[in-house]
Amino acid sequence: GHPPRFLRAAVSRVGSGDTSQTLLLLQDLTELRRLETVRRDFVANVSHELRTPIAAIKAMAETLQAGALDDPDTARDFVGRIEQEIDGLHRLVEELLELTRLESGRVEIVLAPTPPAALVDGAVRRLAPLAERAGVTLRTEYPPDLPLALADRERMEQVLVNLIDNAIDAMRA
């Protein structure tokens, strides 16, 4: 069958006495409902994408405050990771500012030959502090001579971050 339609009906009397008539107005709200669902899903996705880097930055800041500041190598590593997360947040904000371009369907996907291991390693590096805090060990293994993949590195890494973050959440539950 066909998908359900959402209609609004309004009935009103027009005129009075013998000349009165009944006006029935039907309004199709199906597209409006669909757009509301898209907007709600979009807000949920953005919230999820914001939650991951914020949680990682918080975990690293707490680790630094708990004593990692006294270890210069660890402190330098964590500050570098915090900068990476902030860069990711900046990219997300830029994407939100270009929402009109997304809505118009003119999303620019930048495909380039990319080492798959670099995508996975980038995502794992971003989530390592969060995983450690959750008591989860992230480990990667790759077959030798893995071919390059034609991918939009930024978007694909974000997809992997979301998948790994969901897995960490599932293991915590």
Side-chain angles (χ1 to χ4, degrees), residues 25-54:
L25 176 66
L26 292 176
Q27 187 178 12
D28 187 346
L29 301 177
T30 306
E31 181 64 8
L32 187 62
R33 282 280 182 99
R34 189 190 69 76
L35 291 173
E36 286 174 359
T37 302
V38 167
R39 185 193 56 78
R40 192 171 43 248
D41 291 348
F42 176 76
V43 169
N45 288 337
V46 168
S47 298
H48 181 78
E49 287 194 33
L50 287 170
R51 189 176 57 90
T52 301
I54 289 170

Side-chain angles (χ1 to χ4, degrees), residues 2-169:
H2 296 286
R5 305 219 43 100
F6 297 93
L7 302 174
R8 179 188 302 163
V11 179
S12 60
R13 189 166 287 273
V14 179
S16 61
D18 292 341
T19 61
S20 74
Q21 295 180 341
T22 302
L23 175 67
L24 172 62
L25 176 66
L26 292 176
Q27 187 178 12
D28 187 346
L29 301 177
T30 306
E31 181 64 8
L32 187 62
R33 282 280 182 99
R34 189 190 69 76
L35 291 173
E36 286 174 359
T37 302
V38 167
R39 185 193 56 78
R40 192 171 43 248
D41 291 348
F42 176 76
V43 169
N45 288 337
V46 168
S47 298
H48 181 78
E49 287 194 33
L50 287 170
R51 189 176 57 90
T52 301
I54 289 170
I57 291 169
K58 183 170 175 37
M60 287 182 281
E62 288 174 355
T63 303
L64 287 167
Q65 287 177 333
L69 275 174
D70 298 330
D71 178 354
D73 290 338
T74 302
R76 254 191 307 280
D77 178 49
F78 274 34
V79 169
R81 290 182 189 193
I82 288 171
E83 286 177 336
Q84 280 182 332
E85 294 301 332
I86 290 170
D87 288 345
L89 287 170
H90 176 75
R91 281 192 303 273
L92 181 59
V93 168
E94 288 298 316
E95 287 180 13
L96 290 173
L97 292 173
E98 294 178 8
L99 181 57
T100 52
R101 196 177 67 154
L102 289 171
E103 288 176 335
S104 69
R106 293 178 307 190
V107 177
E108 186 180 333
I109 295 178
V110 181
L111 295 177
T114 308
L119 296 172
V120 175
D121 288 343
V124 167
R125 189 169 39 257
R126 285 179 61 188
L127 288 170
L130 200 62
E132 188 177 315
R133 192 167 163 199
V136 174
T137 302
L138 299 178
R139 193 175 53 129
T140 58
E141 288 182 29
Y142 309 104
D145 303 323
L146 205 56
L148 295 177
L150 193 59
D152 183 320
R153 185 177 187 141
E154 204 171 294
R155 284 184 171 78
M156 187 54 82
E157 188 173 308
Q158 187 59 51
V159 167
L160 292 170
V161 163
N162 289 345
L163 288 171
I164 296 167
D165 181 50
N166 289 342
I168 291 169
D169 283 348

